[in-house]
């Protein structure tokens, strides 16, 4: 991931793990942890400790294995290079976040590309900010919570996201203009301007009351190109209110979308016949009867003061149940050619997506065509 200005970012492509890198340790699919590689540090898991020094010099994506404490087994992790998608799954949560299924769709609908100038409010945990920073020309992100603002500021600096300007602001009351003297990462000392020319052509609002911010967008959006806005709202009442204001403010092509990602897993399932079911019932009955008989013999032996259980030891064991397609039994590997299989799909029960309604709208302020330009 490149912060789109040529400068090195922690997300730039690299082959080999080096000291000081931000790396993402994949323990399991829902346990991915960010680390800064330090030769003196250890990465601790419940299965054991992995030294960072064992990672240095290995290619990204490598598996690092250790012998599990007290057991003759191995446990392992994978060391991954950060990407916007993996960062979203591993970042420290300060708020609810936008996940990949939503942010990829939103960026596509807002036509985000390296020439885009994007407004984002609020910054929150910076999940979407990282995805924007990889793709767009410049991101203007706003956060009113002072601690979250400071944390995001430090994080973006550590990750080298140089195409992001972060401003501490309540956008609903104070709008989006960035002026000298504001609490912002924009470096006015380096430029001889008093106010930033934002000219945003894409806007993303993840706020509890986007309708208060929408009327304030006019002073910062581009006038001579098509501008897209997306409001991310969890309930339909918020969508209603936003649409009302969008229409009042001259936004067109308003459309609401809900992303419902589902992952389908393809697998084979053993074909179970009626004969299998009947055989299973017969087997249960046979074992039950044998058990009753054995217990009766044992009681009789106790009553007669004979050595108990002798008979049960010598007794021939009932034949082992073959594979039982309705419960426990001998394990059969999926696809074993001795059995019949059918292809089925299974839906993953949980998906990582903060399901919200996405309201899109577009606006062209100046519709004049300059044919002789
Ligand atoms: C749900 S979080 C945003 C999460 C973010 N999209 C992400 O992917 O990590 C919403 C954030 O908006 C901030 N916020 C709420 N109202 C605001 C306002 N009027 N101006 C600026 N920020 C605001 C909150 O402090 C919070 O951090």
């Amino acid at each position: 991931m490149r912060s789109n200005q040529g400068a090195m970012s922690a997300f730039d492509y690299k082959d080999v793990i080096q000291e000081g890198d931000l790396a993402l340790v994949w323990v399991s699919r829902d346990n991915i942890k960010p680390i800064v590689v330090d030769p003196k540090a250890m990465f601790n898991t419940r299965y054991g400790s992995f030294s960072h020094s064992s990672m240095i010099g290995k290619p990204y994506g490598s598996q690092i294995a250790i012998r599990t404490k007290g057991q003759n087994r191995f446990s392992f992790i994978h060391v991954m290079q950060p990407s916007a998608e993996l960062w979203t799954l591993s970042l420290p949560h300060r708020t609810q976040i936008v996940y990949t299924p939503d942010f990829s769709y939103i960026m596509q609908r807002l036509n985000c590309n390296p020439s885009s100038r994007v407004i984002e409010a609020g910054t929150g945990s910076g999940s979407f900010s990282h995805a924007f920073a990889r793709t767009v020309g410049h991101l203007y992100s706003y956060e009113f919570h002072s601690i979250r603002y400071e944390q995001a500021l430090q994080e973006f600096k550590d990750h080298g996201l140089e195409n992001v300007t972060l401003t501490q602001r309540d956008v609903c009351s104070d709008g989006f203009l960035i002026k000298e003297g504001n609490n912002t990462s924009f470096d006015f000392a380096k430029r001889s301007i008093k106010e930033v020319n934002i000219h945003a052509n894409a806007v993303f609002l993840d706020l509890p009351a986007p309708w208060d911010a929408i009327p304030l967008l006019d002073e910062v959006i581009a006038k001579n190109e098509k501008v897209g806005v997306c409001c991310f709202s969890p309930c339909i009442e918020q969508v209603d209110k936003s649409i009302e204001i969008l229409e009042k403010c001259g936004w067109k092509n308003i459309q609401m979308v809900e992303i419902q990602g589902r992952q389908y897993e393809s697998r084979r399932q053993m074909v179970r016949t009626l004969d299998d079911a009947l055989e299973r019932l017969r087997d249960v009955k046979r074992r039950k009867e044998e058990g009753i008989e054995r217990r009766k013999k044992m009681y009789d032996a106790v009553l007669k003061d004979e050595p108990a259980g002798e008979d049960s030891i010598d007794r021939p064991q009932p034949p082992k149940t073959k594979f039982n397609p309705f419960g426990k039994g001998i394990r059969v590997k999926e696809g074993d050619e001795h059995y019949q299989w059918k292809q089925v799909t299974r839906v993953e029960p949980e998906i990582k997506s903060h399901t919200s309604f996405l309201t899109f709208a577009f606006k062209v302020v100046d519709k004049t065509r300059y044919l002789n330009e």
Side-chain angles (χ1 to χ4, degrees), residues 163-179:
N163 59 343
V164 182
T165 297
L166 187 59
T167 304
Q168 190 192 357
R169 170 80 53 86
D170 179 343
V171 294
C172 292
S173 56
D174 301 329
F176 299 88
L177 275 175
I178 305 170
K179 296 184 179 168

Side-chain angles (χ1 to χ4, degrees), residues 122-369:
T123 315
S125 305
S127 167
F128 205 160
S129 316
H130 280 76
F132 273 133
R134 174 177 59 182
T135 304
V136 306
H138 203 93
L139 174 68
Y140 297 92
S141 190
Y142 300 80
E143 173 58 56
F144 75 174
H145 189 279
S146 59
I147 297 171
R148 267 178 233 145
Y149 167 75
E150 293 297 339
Q151 287 169 326
L153 201 63
Q154 189 59 47
E155 194 175 270
F156 296 170
K157 193 170 162 222
D158 292 346
H159 295 174
L161 306 187
E162 297 207 339
N163 59 343
V164 182
T165 297
L166 187 59
T167 304
Q168 190 192 357
R169 170 80 53 86
D170 179 343
V171 294
C172 292
S173 56
D174 301 329
F176 299 88
L177 275 175
I178 305 170
K179 296 184 179 168
E180 197 173 13
N182 289 161
N183 196 12
T184 177
S185 65
F186 189 87
D187 193 351
F188 282 95
K190 273 195 186 160
R191 323 263 175 93
S192 55
I193 52 168
K194 302 266 179 236
E195 186 180 305
V196 182
N197 295 320
I198 297 178
H199 292 310
N201 49 15
V203 180
F204 175 67
L205 301 177
D206 185 357
L207 299 168
W211 48 86
D212 287 333
I214 291 165
L216 306 173
L217 284 172
D218 280 348
E219 54 190 5
V220 283
I221 57 171
K223 303 287 178 283
N224 55 353
E225 56 184 307
K226 188 175 172 184
V227 181
V229 62
C230 171
C231 303
F232 190 80
S233 308
C235 44
I236 202 77
E237 291 77 8
Q238 289 172 307
V239 173
D240 247 7
K241 241 174 139 172
S242 300
I243 291 179
E244 208 183 304
I245 296 293
L246 283 167
E247 279 177 336
K248 251 191 209 158
C249 296
W251 292 81
K252 304 275 187 249
N253 306 109
I254 301 172
Q255 197 181 42
M256 194 277 284
V257 177
E258 190 190 4
I259 306 283
Q260 287 218 350
R262 289 273 180 276
Q263 199 147 337
Y264 289 90
E265 188 196 13
S266 163
R267 59 198 304 259
R268 277 172 289 193
Q269 194 177 65
M270 185 177 283
V271 177
R272 297 157 177 180
T273 64
L274 185 59
D275 283 348
D276 285 333
L278 293 174
E279 181 48 42
R280 170 75 186 140
L281 290 174
R282 277 188 213 111
D283 188 54
V284 170
K285 192 174 170 199
R286 196 175 68 234
R287 285 169 176 275
K288 193 173 157 193
E289 283 168 0
E290 279 169 0
I292 293 171
E293 185 64 22
R294 195 166 66 245
R295 231 170 299 144
K296 193 166 163 284
K297 278 187 181 170
M298 277 168 62
Y299 286 135
D300 285 350
V302 171
L303 288 176
K304 286 182 196 159
D305 230 7
E306 286 172 0
E310 284 279 304
D311 178 53
S312 68
I313 294 164
D314 298 340
R315 172 182 61 87
Q317 296 293 313
K320 268 206 167 161
T321 315
K322 282 202 299 202
F323 173 67
N324 162 20
F326 299 93
K328 285 183 186 164
I330 299 166
R331 278 189 69 180
V332 173
K333 227 174 139 193
E334 190 180 314
D336 184 327
E337 58 188 23
H338 297 100
Y339 299 88
Q340 232 192 315
W341 301 88
K342 64 179 172 188
Q343 199 73 31
V344 293
T345 54
R346 202 175 61 177
V347 183
E348 248 191 20
E350 208 186 300
I351 62 148
K352 285 246 183 237
S353 169
H354 169 203
T355 47
S356 268
F357 299 111
L358 312 178
T359 308
F360 291 94
F362 297 87
K363 193 176 202 175
V364 183
V365 177
D366 183 356
K367 299 197 180 81
T368 319
R369 238 180 233 277

